[in-house]
Amino acid sequence: MKPSEHIPVRDLVPPAPVQPIRVLLVDDEHEFRRSTAELLRHAHLECAEASDAAEGAALLERDTFDVLVADINMPGNRDLEFLRRCRADHPYLPV
């Protein structure tokens, strides 16, 4: 390399590791949940699955997610109770 040439800083510093987006998918329809989770994983997203509102709430209590995708017509979500509780308990979690 010639003295007049410079190396861009981006070439000197390795890129910071990128954390995958963590999705919580809550749906009582097994085939829909499974196929949607597969599509999300294919898009390089981490995906945890829950089959009802109670299981989804338990996962939210013990883990951290970047986004929640939930069925609105499933056991434990009468009058959108599960979604309202999620918004109250996790106000910065996109639903």
Side-chain angles (χ1 to χ4, degrees), residues 19-21 24 29 32-33 35 45 56 60 64-65 74 82 84 88 91:
Q19 295 292 334
I21 295 172
L24 174 56
E29 295 181 30
F32 177 81
R33 187 179 68 249
S35 61
L45 303 174
L60 279 171
T64 303
F65 297 95
M74 66 177 172
F82 172 65
R84 286 189 178 114

Side-chain angles (χ1 to χ4, degrees), residues 32-63:
F32 177 81
R33 187 179 68 249
R34 185 195 58 76
S35 61
T36 302
E38 186 177 317
L39 287 171
L40 292 170
R41 290 181 186 116
H42 184 70
H44 306 288
L45 303 174
E46 284 187 13
C47 185
E49 301 174 52
S51 61
D52 59 30
E55 188 179 353
L59 284 172
L60 279 171
E61 288 304 313
R62 68 174 181 254
D63 212 340

Side-chain angles (χ1 to χ4, degrees), residues 60 68 81-95:
L60 279 171
L68 169 65
E81 177 185 334
F82 172 65
L83 297 177
R84 286 189 178 114
R85 191 168 8 114
C86 287
R87 290 302 253 168
D89 295 345
H90 308 277
Y92 298 106
L93 178 66
V95 177

Side-chain angles (χ1 to χ4, degrees), residues 4-27:
S4 61
E5 294 178 16
H6 71 281
I7 299 172
V9 173
R10 70 175 179 274
D11 293 341
L12 296 174
V13 179
V18 176
Q19 295 292 334
I21 295 172
R22 303 195 69 226
V23 177
L24 174 56
L25 175 62
V26 185
D27 197 301

